[in-house]
């Protein structure tokens, strides 16, 4: 990303942004009449990427440096991911975005060569923390198919689709005039083209002999000096790979019919051996049945025992449906190792980088489509190593993310202690073999936690401190539900049916450690954190009936009138008298009547063993109403001091006391408005029959027709009921058909995180046709049912709860004392307040109910409400009150020591003076409202043409600001409370719903999003973090001595049996081979080279960089000069000795004796 000058942008903000602030002030500068003295300035902000975590998405190539012990992985999108020891990760990207077809390390040189599908090769400098391209070479007339760089050589062999081989000097990235043409390599009598080059390697014992493999099955041993073929080896089947024996006398080829052929280099007539590792051997001696192609083979020798032969593919064709396998052949034993995903590539790790020595293999790195596995060859059974990288983010597709920076320091040790008991057993006892590089030593020391929710209902807690990512703890929410076991209950192929437990949204309070999770099956689960194991005999269940009924009257009836088919509803201010059921209640589900009073999932009836960690406190499920499924939950919040959880959807909101296990409130959105409220929605249409609605996917996952829309109620009246076991017994007998979980999912209409999907799909007009049902594969499967299919007309008429905020403020204008209240935001831009009346004392009882009183609309904004917060008179954030954490399974005495509510001690409001500021942000604008006067003192129109996807009030440089991410890609920050623009960067245009669903801001200038189905990208908008980024990043290259070359031995040295060296400079240099054709390839200086640096760098930084490079070059030249001087001195000394010997020999002889 090119360098960004924030001052220029802020000086010339767009009209939609600069002219929208209600108070006229220069952007980025403080206003003179500010209510609060603000300290944040534009200089505090800068946007840059920090680190990328997770498994490389769509990998296609791999390389390993055996001395530096660094692994490189290339992807189909042109990305490079480099891995070393724990915490050593690096990401870089080719600008073209073409697939990386091959990678080659300059072993122990701190450099890497990448070959791309667009026929370009690039040289990367890995000696800097952020790798850069030094040189590039773009071929114009040849398609690159294979590359080979011999150890300690500067000449790179490049094979092409035409069958030719070109040679590149990797120091200057220039082509040599030496070319091996295909027609000279093959037999002159051959009438067909041999096909592309699929293999190049030099003989381990003779660098002057080059082995060239062509796709058709022909292998040529080429003599580089004489420029002709020594031997040609032909086989009927196509070749996929070739591997040498370290002595250079034999090589092995893998073929498309599942055979391995072993050749002696001096016997080209026929193979010395032909084997089919997985073929059935006929008894009559006939040729084995053909098998699948062996895509790659490696042949590695050991000093003490039999050699290893490792291969991928080659299975019999009758093994239909069998998973991909890696075969390890060692002596007479053959081990077939099944993999979870298809194999992309594998590499055998060896003790020595020298191909002419015994290889001594110790591990195999297997790159799979969605995983990286390292197998220990030194232990019986070939166990795998435990990976230190966070490669399992996508174990189940990520559906939501939350990011907590600067959280309480005791949280990470607590989560680690309970998570360490979940680790798998059976790993290799050895250390992880990819151990290169050094972990960055930054000044960033505050704890960070990332929480990811997944499609299978699991939740993962990650330690994200110090640019690392390590899983701490995994919670499986699906354990509280019964699983479908019978064939008739199995989900069909529709992807909507596959994820009934998927996490829709979650709320986590780090201080009280309360966790509340909402799933797509309209369920809410409340968890408490405990360090003790318990067995819950009966999972506590509360069923809630949230319903919208329609009438054709002109205004909604707020008087609590009941519908004839529903039981009487309690007043909003009183709790329900019925006790919650302890197990799933049955409902009407006969073939003649509609499904009613049935939840989408069945809570387990057997005892639940709960390990230390998060343990279920209560399950709340919304039930079907008159044949219609419950609407998905769009927002939720927890207030731990009062033991309340509130959640809402398109039907209204419900408040549950999770300590008393009772429903306190169940009301429609219309009931939140006061009767005289001008914003109250009036009904405009009678109730329409509901059509089943399939879900949309990501922004490119398809669109719904009119028959698939959700219904669009315009006015509502709630019927409040808690179903109990006793009430539903008669209905159980009437049911003749059992409902299965899959039935519910087809009718879900999500307004996310789901309302976001519908908004983006309609506003950006990004659709996906049915002919492309799964563009991103299973990774995006979840998103196909997570968005709303509500059309624009329906959405305008339907108001949905979009956010909640518990606080202690002034619910009414007339209030002079603060009191607990709840702010409710809707998709129509209304922010309403509800006053909470909490009973005195530490615990509230059912006899002392919590009462709610709606106080009407606080303010109205354009677009749906995204976030709400409260500041005090000094501009400091007032966080929601919380209860300090205590172990729910501890003794009562220990509980009482900790369990005290935080005292509410903000000052009362003096007459005519506002003591609080409510910060409200919607999809279009932000407002700051003074409390208790409820006057809007600041307003800022964030965007006119786009809409905000995520907004958060975050701490930054000792102050607070509002951070926003828009669908048009802009990331913005606004000062608080004056809403001055401080940062506006066009960073990331929205191309996928995944980004919108997972983008989140955190404190201290941190943010993240899922950049692919398998990777998390972390970014920072803090100038301080950007300045310290170099210190925080890990180092890939560390100075390591290259191992000594193998000893040739006395007899090999005497009789010439050792490895033969070759002066390639004499063969490939311009003097010997001439210049290559200029039209064949174009040299492009990279930004990391001197030419690129001269063009890109400017100012003092550029001068310093150039000076540093010049010093390095000068030091290198001085080193070369020292070597030349030493050589000249040795030569002079030798000449002096020779002259002295001549003088002594002829000293006393006469001239005629000579």
């Amino acid at each position: 990303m090119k360098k960004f000058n924030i001052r220029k942008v802020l000086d010339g903000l767009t009209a939609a942004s600069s002219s929208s602030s209600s108070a006229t002030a220069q952007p980025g500068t403080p206003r003179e009449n500010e209510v609060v003295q603000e300290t944040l300035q534009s200089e505090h902000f800068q946007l840059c990427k920090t680190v990328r975590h997770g498994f490389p998405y769509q990998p296609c190539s791999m390389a390993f440096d055996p001395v530096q012990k660094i692994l490189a992985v290339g992807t189909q999108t042109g990305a490079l991911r480099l891995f070393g020891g724990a915490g050593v990760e690096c990401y870089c990207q080719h600008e073209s975005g073409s697939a990386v077809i091959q990678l080659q390390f300059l072993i122990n040189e701190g450099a890497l060569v990448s070959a791309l599908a667009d026929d370009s090769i690039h040289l990367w400098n890995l000696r800097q923390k952020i790798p850069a391209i030094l040189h590039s070479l773009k071929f114009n007339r040849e398609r690159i198919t294979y590359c080979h760089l011999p150890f300690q050589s500067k000449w790179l062999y490049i094979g092409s689709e035409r069958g030719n081989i070109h040679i590149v000097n990797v120091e200057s990235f220039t082509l040599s005039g030496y070319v091996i043409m295909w027609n000279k390599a093959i037999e002159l009598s051959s009438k067909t083209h041999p096909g592309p080059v699929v293999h190049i390697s030099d003989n381990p014992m003779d660098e002057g002999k080059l082995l060239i493999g062509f796709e058709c099955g022909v292998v040529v041993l080429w003599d580089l000096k004489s420029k002709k073929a020594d031997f040609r080896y032909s086989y009927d089947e196509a070749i996929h790979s070739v591997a040498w024996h370290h002595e250079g006398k034999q090589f092995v080829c893998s073929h498309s019919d599942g055979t391995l052929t072993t050749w002696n280099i001096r016997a080209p007539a026929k193979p010395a051996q032909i084997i089919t590792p997985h073929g059935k051997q006929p008894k009559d001696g006939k040729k084995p049945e053909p098998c699948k192609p062996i895509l790659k083979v490696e042949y590695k020798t050991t000093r003490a025992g039999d050699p290893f032969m490792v291969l991928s593919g080659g299975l019999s064709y009758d093994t239909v449906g069998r998973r991909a396998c890696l075969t390890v052949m060692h002596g007479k034993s053959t081990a077939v190792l099944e993999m979870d995903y298809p194999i992309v590539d594998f590499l055998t790790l060896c003790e020595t980088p020298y191909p002419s020595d015994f290889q001594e293999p110790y591990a195999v790195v297997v790159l799979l489509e969605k995983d990286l596995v390292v197998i220990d060859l030194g232990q019986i059974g070939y166990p795998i190593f435990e990976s230190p990288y966070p490669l399992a983010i996508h174990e189940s597709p990520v559906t939501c993310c939350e990011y907590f920076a600067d959280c309480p320091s005791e949280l990470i040790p607590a989560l680690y202690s309970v998570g360490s008991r979940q680790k798998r057993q059976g790993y290799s006892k050895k250390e992880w073999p990819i151990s290169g590089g050094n972990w960055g030593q930054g000044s960033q020391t505050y704890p960070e936690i990332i929480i990811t929710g997944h499609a299978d209902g699991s939740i993962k807690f990650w330690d994200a401190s110090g640019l690392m990512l390590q899983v701490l703890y995994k919670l499986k929410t699906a354990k509280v539900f019964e699983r479908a076991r019978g064939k008739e209950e199995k989900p069909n192929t529709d992807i909507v049916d596959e994820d009934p437990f998927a996490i829709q949204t979650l709320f986590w309070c780090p201080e009280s450690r309360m966790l509340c999770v909402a799933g797509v099956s309209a369920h809410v689960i409340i968890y408490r954190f405990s360090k003790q194991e318990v067995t819950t005999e009966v999972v506590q269940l509360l069923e809630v009936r949230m319903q919208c009924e329609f009438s054709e009257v002109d205004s909604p009836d707020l008087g609590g009138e009941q519908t004839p088919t529903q039981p009487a509803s309690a007043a909003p201010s009183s709790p329900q008298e019925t006790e919650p059921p302890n197990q799933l209640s049955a409902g009407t589900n006969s073939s003649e009547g509609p499904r009613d009073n049935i939840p989408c999932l069945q809570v387990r009836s057997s005892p639940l063993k709960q390990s230390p960690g998060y343990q279920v406190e209560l399950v709340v499920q919304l039930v079907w109403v008159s044949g219609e499924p419950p609407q998905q939950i769009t927002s939720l919040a927890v207030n731990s001091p009062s033991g309340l959880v509130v959640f809402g959807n398109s039907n209204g909101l419900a408040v549950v006391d999770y300590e008393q296990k009772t429903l306190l409130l169940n009301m429609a959105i219309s009931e939140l408005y006061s009767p005289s409220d001008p914003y109250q929605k009036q009904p405009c249409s009678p109730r329409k029959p509901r059509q089943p609605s399939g879900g949309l996917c990501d922004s490119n996952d398809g669109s719904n027709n009119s028959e698939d829309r959700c219904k669009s109620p315009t006015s509502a009246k709630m019927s409040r009921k808690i179903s109990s076991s006793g009430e539903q017994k008669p209905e159980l007998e009437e049911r003749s058909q059992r409902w299965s979980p899959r039935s519910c999912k087809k009718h879900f209409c999500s307004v996310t995180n789901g309302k976001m999907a519908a908004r983006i799909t309609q506003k950006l007009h990004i659709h996906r046709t049915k002919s492309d049902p799964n563009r991103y594969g299973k990774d995006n499967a979840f998103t196909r049912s997570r968005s709303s299919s509500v059309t624009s007309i329906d959405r305008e008429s339907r108001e949905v709860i979009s956010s909640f905020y518990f606080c202690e403020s002034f619910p009414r204008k007339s209030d002079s004392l603060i009191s607990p209240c709840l702010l409710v935001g809707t998709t129509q831009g209304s922010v309403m307040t509800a006053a909470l009346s909490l009973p005195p004392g530490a615990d509230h009882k059912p006899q002392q109910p919590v009462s709610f009183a709606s106080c009407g609309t606080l303010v109205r904004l354009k677009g749906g409400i995204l976030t709400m917060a409260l500041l005090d008179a000094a501009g400091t954030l007032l966080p929601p009150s919380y209860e300090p954490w205590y172990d729910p399974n501890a003794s009562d005495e220990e509980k009482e020591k900790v369990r005290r509510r935080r005292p509410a001690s903000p000052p009362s409001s003096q007459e005519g003076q506002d003591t609080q500021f409510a910060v409200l942000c919607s999809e279009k604008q932000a407002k700051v409202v003074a409390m208790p006067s409820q006057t809007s003192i600041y307003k800022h129109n964030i965007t006119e043409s786009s809409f905000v996807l995520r907004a958060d009030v975050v701490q930054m440089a000792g102050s607070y600001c509002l951070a926003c991410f828009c669908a048009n890609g802009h990331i913005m920050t606004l000062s608080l409370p004056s809403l001055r623009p401080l940062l506006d960067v066009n960073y990331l245009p929205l191309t996928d719903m995944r980004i919108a669903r997972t983008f989140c801001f955190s404190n201290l200038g941190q943010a993240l999003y899922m950049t692919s189905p398998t990777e998390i990208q972390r970014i920072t908008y803090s100038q301080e973090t950007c300045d310290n980024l170099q210190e925080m990043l890990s180092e890939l290259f560390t100075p390591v001595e290259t191992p000594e070359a193998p000893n040739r031995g006395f007899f090999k040295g005497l009789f010439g049996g050792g490895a033969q060296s070759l002066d390639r400079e004499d063969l490939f240099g311009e003097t010997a081979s001439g210049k290559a054709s200029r039209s064949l390839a174009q040299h492009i200086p990279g930004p990391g080279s001197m030419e690129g640096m001269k063009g890109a760098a400017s100012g003092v930084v550029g001068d310093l960089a150039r000076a540093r490079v010049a010093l390095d070059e000068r030091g290198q030249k001085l080193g070369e000069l020292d070597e030349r001087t030493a050589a000249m001195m040795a030569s002079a000394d030798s000449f002096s000795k020779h002259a002295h010997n001549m003088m002594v020999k002829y000293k006393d002889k006469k001239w005629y004796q000579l």
Side-chain angles (χ1 to χ4, degrees):
M1 191 173 69
K2 63 181 182 179
K3 190 173 180 181
F4 191 85
N5 192 328
I6 187 62
R7 291 187 182 84
K8 290 183 180 178
V9 171
L10 292 176
D11 289 339
L13 285 173
T14 59
S17 182
S18 61
S19 63
S20 58
S21 189
S22 60
T24 58
Q26 182 69 18
T29 59
R31 299 186 176 100
E32 295 179 359
N33 58 347
E34 279 183 348
V35 178
V36 176
Q37 185 64 37
E38 297 175 0
T39 58
L40 284 179
Q41 303 298 327
S42 300
E43 289 75 17
H44 290 106
F45 295 89
Q46 183 183 345
L47 191 71
C48 69
K49 294 181 180 180
T50 54
V51 68
R52 182 172 292 199
H53 301 295
F55 181 77
Y57 184 54
Q58 295 180 330
C60 54
S61 57
M62 178 173 59
F64 182 70
D65 187 326
V67 180
Q68 287 289 320
K69 298 194 182 300
I70 293 290
L71 182 75
V73 176
T75 73
Q76 294 182 20
T77 57
L80 274 182
R81 293 287 301 279
L82 296 130
F83 299 94
V88 180
E89 293 184 55
C90 183
Y91 160 79
C92 34
Q93 175 74 41
H94 294 91
E95 286 187 6
S96 67
S98 297
V100 182
I101 59 175
Q102 198 170 351
L103 295 168
Q104 288 274 311
F105 272 102
L106 278 69
I107 295 175
N108 205 26
E109 295 290 335
L112 176 72
V113 174
S114 58
L116 271 59
D118 64 355
D119 308 310
S120 62
I121 58 173
H122 307 270
L123 179 65
W124 289 86
N125 178 17
L126 307 183
R127 291 180 177 244
Q128 54 197 58
K129 290 192 173 184
I130 303 177
I133 293 177
L134 294 171
H135 299 282
S136 297
L137 197 64
K138 179 74 167 66
F139 282 79
N140 300 320
R141 301 189 312 224
E142 294 270 27
R143 301 298 308 272
I144 298 173
T145 57
Y146 196 87
C147 298
H148 171 62
L149 181 65
F151 178 47
Q152 294 182 327
S153 169
K154 67 176 183 179
W155 297 97
L156 174 70
Y157 301 103
I158 297 178
S160 70
E161 194 174 52
R162 292 183 180 180
N164 304 324
I165 294 179
H166 302 276
I167 301 167
V168 175
N169 186 326
V170 294
E171 291 181 351
S172 60
F173 249 52
T174 54
L175 273 171
S176 167
Y178 192 113
V179 181
I180 303 174
M181 305 300 290
W182 67 269
N183 53 356
K184 292 184 179 180
I186 65 171
E187 299 260 4
L188 294 176
S189 59
S190 177
K191 297 180 181 179
T192 58
H193 190 278
V197 175
V198 296
H199 178 81
I200 306 171
S201 61
D202 47 355
N203 189 315
M205 285 295 181
D206 189 352
E207 295 176 352
K209 308 293 184 182
L210 197 67
L211 196 69
I212 307 166
F214 295 95
E215 188 181 58
C216 68
V218 174
V219 179
V220 176
L221 188 64
W222 181 265
D223 190 313
L224 291 170
K225 289 181 180 179
S226 63
K227 300 183 180 180
K228 66 178 183 178
D230 282 352
F231 300 102
R232 297 180 178 92
Y233 316 86
S234 296
Y235 193 69
D236 296 338
E237 297 294 335
I239 290 176
H240 285 278
S241 69
V242 182
W244 278 101
H245 187 280
H246 83 277
E247 292 179 348
K249 297 176 182 179
Q250 282 187 337
F251 62 87
V252 178
C253 300
S254 69
H255 298 276
S256 58
D257 63 345
T259 59
L260 294 174
T261 56
T262 304
W263 299 81
N264 293 322
I265 61 170
R266 297 192 178 275
K270 64 176 183 178
Q273 186 183 32
I274 302 176
I275 61 171
T276 309
H278 296 286
K280 295 179 180 178
Q281 299 293 334
K283 294 181 180 179
D284 53 5
K286 293 182 180 180
K287 190 177 180 181
E289 293 181 2
C291 295
K292 297 176 183 177
I294 296 178
L295 302 177
K296 186 175 182 179
V297 63
E298 291 201 344
Y299 191 18
K300 303 299 179 183
T301 55
T302 60
R303 293 182 189 274
D306 296 316
F308 282 88
M309 198 173 286
V310 186
L311 55 102
S312 63
L315 295 178
S316 175
Y317 279 105
D318 60 9
T319 56
V320 180
R322 188 173 179 180
R323 293 188 292 182
C325 294
L326 186 81
T327 305
V328 180
M329 302 170 65
H330 183 220
K332 295 182 179 180
S333 69
T334 300
V336 181
L337 310 176
E338 284 196 348
M339 302 293 158
D340 292 334
Y341 306 101
I343 297 173
V344 176
D345 195 4
F346 73 88
L347 292 170
T348 308
L349 307 189
C350 301
E351 297 288 354
T352 176
Y354 294 95
S356 60
D357 196 7
F358 286 97
Q359 300 299 290
E360 302 294 344
Y362 59 90
V364 180
V365 180
V366 188
L367 179 64
L368 308 176
E369 281 188 0
K370 296 181 182 180
D371 202 0
L372 182 73
V373 177
V374 183
I375 299 166
D376 186 357
L377 293 179
Q379 292 190 32
I380 298 174
Y382 303 131
I384 64 172
F385 290 89
E386 184 176 9
S387 174
Y389 315 132
L391 300 181
I393 294 173
H394 64 289
E395 188 177 18
S396 174
V398 175
T399 57
C400 64
C401 280
E402 292 297 335
Y403 190 7
F404 299 87
D406 200 18
C407 51
S409 58
E410 68 275 5
L411 268 177
I412 290 178
L415 289 167
Y416 180 81
S417 65
V418 296
S420 59
R421 308 180 191 186
Q422 300 176 329
K423 289 190 176 181
R424 287 176 50 191
Q425 304 297 321
Y427 288 112
S428 171
K429 297 178 181 178
K430 298 179 183 177
E431 293 292 326
W432 179 254
I434 306 167
S435 55
N438 286 325
W439 184 23
Q441 301 295 325
S443 57
Q444 186 174 312
T445 56
Y446 49 84
E448 300 172 79
I449 291 178
I450 295 172
I451 303 178
T452 54
H454 299 263
D456 63 354
S458 61
I459 297 173
K460 293 181 181 178
F461 292 78
W462 305 83
D463 178 6
S465 309
L467 296 188
M468 283 189 66
L469 193 68
Q470 183 180 9
V471 68
L472 292 170
Y473 173 70
K474 180 179 179 180
L475 173 67
K476 296 181 180 179
T477 64
K479 284 185 175 181
V480 303
F481 300 106
E482 297 284 0
R483 295 243 180 203
R485 290 187 175 87
K487 289 184 179 180
E488 69 280 356
E489 292 182 298
K490 284 186 178 179
N492 58 27
T493 55
D494 187 353
I495 204 71
V496 173
D497 297 333
E498 293 184 2
D499 305 317
F501 311 110
I503 305 300
Q504 179 90 359
T505 184
L506 59 88
F507 181 95
W508 186 55
C509 176
E511 288 80 11
S512 65
R513 305 187 189 178
M514 290 298 302
L515 175 65
C516 188
V517 179
V520 295
S521 297
H523 61 273
V524 176
I525 310 176
I526 299 101
Y527 288 93
R528 287 186 185 271
F529 186 84
S530 174
K531 294 182 179 180
Q532 301 178 23
E533 181 178 300
V534 295
T535 298
T536 304
E537 294 297 328
V538 178
V539 176
Q540 296 294 310
L541 171 64
L542 189 65
E543 291 180 353
V544 178
R545 185 182 178 93
M546 296 183 73
Q547 170 187 2
C548 282
E549 291 294 335
F550 297 85
S551 61
E552 297 191 39
V553 294
D554 292 335
S555 61
D557 186 358
L558 303 178
E561 183 181 347
Q562 305 140 16
T563 56
T565 59
Q566 303 300 333
S569 61
S573 60
S574 63
Q576 299 296 321
E577 296 179 2
T578 55
E579 291 298 320
N582 288 332
Q583 57 186 3
L584 180 71
S585 61
T588 303
N589 187 21
S590 65
S591 57
E592 299 177 358
R595 182 179 292 119
D596 194 40
N597 279 347
I598 304 175
C600 298
L601 298 174
Q602 182 175 350
V603 174
R604 64 184 292 161
S605 55
S606 58
L608 175 63
K609 181 180 179 181
Q610 304 199 72
S611 302
Y614 276 100
Q615 299 172 351
V616 180
E617 177 80 6
L618 177 66
V619 178
V620 182
Q621 288 185 286
L622 303 188
V623 296
W624 286 62
V625 178
S626 302
E628 295 185 6
Q631 297 297 298
Q632 288 183 350
I633 292 159
T634 56
S635 184
L636 77 165
V638 174
N639 184 250
S640 56
S642 55
L644 301 180
V645 59
V646 58
F647 55 89
N649 59 14
S650 57
N651 288 341
L653 65 88
V655 180
V656 170
D657 184 334
Y658 59 79
E659 292 184 348
Q660 304 297 331
K661 314 296 188 293
T662 56
L663 176 67
L664 302 179
L665 182 69
N666 185 352
M667 67 190 304
I669 299 174
S670 59
E671 294 179 84
L672 289 168
Y673 291 98
S674 61
S676 60
D677 203 319
Y679 301 120
Q680 183 177 0
K681 298 291 292 182
Q682 300 295 324
C684 58
S685 63
R687 178 177 180 178
K688 298 177 182 179
R690 180 178 177 91
Q691 299 290 342
S693 66
L696 285 170
C697 178
D698 285 358
S699 53
N700 44 14
D701 268 322
S703 56
N704 289 39
N705 55 34
S706 59
E707 295 181 357
D708 289 332
R709 298 173 188 163
C710 298
K711 68 171 185 178
S712 177
T714 57
S715 64
K717 175 175 58 180
M718 306 304 299
S719 173
R720 305 176 192 84
K721 174 182 181 294
I722 306 178
S723 59
S724 64
S725 304
E727 293 174 337
Q728 298 299 332
K729 284 180 181 177
E731 297 182 51
L732 181 62
E733 299 172 0
E734 298 175 10
R735 290 180 57 197
S736 61
Q737 181 179 345
R738 185 70 175 168
W739 176 86
S740 62
R742 66 183 180 186
S743 306
C744 169
K745 291 295 295 298
K746 292 182 180 177
H747 303 284
F748 275 165
C749 165
S750 158
V751 189
T752 345
N753 266 356
K755 70 177 188 300
M756 200 183 295
R759 219 165 43 228
I760 294 168
T761 305
Q762 194 220 348
K763 295 185 181 181
L764 297 184
H765 305 287
I766 302 176
H767 295 293
R768 191 170 163 200
T769 62
K770 293 183 179 179
S771 61
D772 185 20
N774 199 1
R775 178 179 175 188
Y776 292 108
K778 176 71 172 113
D779 300 287
N780 272 359
F782 160 79
T783 55
R784 295 181 60 187
S785 63
R786 308 301 169 242
S787 60
S788 174
S789 56
V790 183
T791 64
S792 58
I793 297 174
D794 290 334
R795 189 168 53 252
E796 287 301 318
S797 60
R798 160 176 278 188
E799 193 164 15
V800 180
I801 303 280
S802 60
S803 59
F804 292 112
Y805 189 71
F806 280 106
C807 59
E808 294 183 351
S809 185
F810 306 92
R812 305 172 185 83
K813 283 186 180 181
S814 58
D815 290 342
S816 60
L817 295 175
I818 67 164
S819 61
C821 61
L822 175 67
L823 299 182
V824 182
T826 72
T827 54
Q828 297 297 328
S830 295
V831 178
M832 293 162 284
T833 56
L836 280 70
S837 176
L838 300 177
D843 296 304
H844 55 273
K845 308 295 182 186
Q847 294 79 14
Q848 299 174 313
V850 176
S851 64
F852 282 77
S854 177
C855 303
T857 304
L858 172 66
V859 70
R860 179 91 167 188
L861 283 76
K862 292 181 182 177
I865 302 300
L866 296 177
T867 190
M868 301 177 285
L870 209 60
L871 307 178
D872 64 10
T876 303
L877 183 70
L878 292 172
S881 59
Y882 62 85
E883 184 179 47
W885 174 77
Y886 65 92
D887 196 322
N889 298 318
S891 63
D892 293 338
E893 295 180 2
E894 293 179 4
K895 290 181 183 180
E896 289 302 321
K897 291 180 182 177
V898 182
R899 194 177 180 185
R900 296 187 182 90
R901 290 196 185 129
R902 294 178 61 189
S905 56
S908 61
S909 176
Q910 299 177 5
E911 190 68 28
Q913 183 178 356
D914 292 318
T915 60
Q916 289 182 346
F917 302 104
V919 180
L920 313 165
C921 183
S922 72
E923 298 167 328
K924 294 288 187 179
Q925 60 182 194
K927 283 186 179 180
V928 174
V929 178
M931 305 289 281
S933 65
Q934 299 187 3
T935 56
S936 178
I937 57 173
Y938 294 110
K939 172 186 170 184
H940 182 79
N941 290 331
I942 299 171
T943 177
E944 294 291 343
S945 58
S946 184
F947 53 97
V948 180
L949 291 165
R950 177 77 185 224
D952 290 291
V953 174
V954 293
Q955 183 183 2
M956 180 77 180
S959 188
Y960 293 89
C961 65
L962 178 65
C964 305
F965 171 54
C966 291
N968 60 10
H970 282 254
I971 291 179
M972 292 171 276
T973 58
L974 306 173
S975 69
L976 291 177
S978 66
L979 301 178
R980 283 181 299 115
L982 298 172
L983 174 74
D984 187 352
V985 179
N986 187 3
Y987 169 71
L988 181 76
L990 184 68
T991 56
D992 201 298
M993 258 305 299
R994 183 192 317 105
I995 299 172
R997 193 177 60 243
T998 58
F999 197 103
C1000 50
F1001 293 99
S1002 190
N1003 291 328
L1004 306 175
Q1006 307 298 324
L1008 65 81
Y1009 60 94
M1010 291 290 296
T1011 185
S1012 75
T1014 62
E1015 297 167 292
I1016 288 177
Q1017 178 67 57
R1018 292 167 68 178
I1019 61 175
T1020 181
Y1021 48 95
S1022 163
Q1023 178 70 55
E1024 182 183 2
T1025 305
C1026 290
D1027 292 342
N1028 297 329
L1029 188 58
Q1030 282 287 339
E1031 298 177 10
M1032 298 162 62
L1033 293 174
S1034 55
E1035 290 180 345
L1036 289 170
F1037 179 80
T1038 53
V1040 179
E1041 285 289 331
T1042 303
E1044 291 186 5
N1047 189 358
R1048 296 173 63 185
F1050 174 75
F1051 289 104
K1052 285 189 177 181
L1054 184 63
F1055 298 108
Q1060 301 294 317
S1061 61
L1062 172 73
D1063 190 349
R1064 295 185 177 90
E1065 186 70 37
D1066 290 344
L1067 284 174
F1068 307 144
E1070 189 175 324
T1071 306
S1073 61
K1075 291 185 178 180
S1077 171
R1078 290 186 177 181
S1079 62
L1080 181 61
Q1082 177 188 2
H1083 177 255
I1084 306 168
S1089 66
M1090 273 303 298
E1091 294 89 341
M1093 191 177 292
K1094 288 174 183 175
S1098 62
V1100 178
V1101 176
D1103 293 337
L1104 286 173
R1106 284 195 295 272
R1108 187 179 296 118
V1109 173
L1111 282 173
D1112 291 343
E1113 289 182 348
R1114 184 171 180 269
Q1116 185 177 352
K1117 289 178 179 178
L1118 285 173
E1120 293 174 358
L1121 184 60
D1122 287 343
E1123 292 175 1
R1124 290 178 185 174
T1125 304
M1128 289 177 65
M1129 289 179 64
S1131 177
D1133 186 51
S1134 175
F1135 179 77
S1136 173
K1137 290 179 180 179
H1138 184 68
H1140 178 73
N1141 292 336
M1142 291 288 291
M1143 182 195 71
V1144 170
K1145 182 177 179 182
Y1146 298 106
K1147 179 179 179 182
D1148 298 327
K1149 291 186 179 182
K1150 303 296 183 181
W1151 61 270
Y1152 53 83
Q1153 293 177 322
L1154 297 176

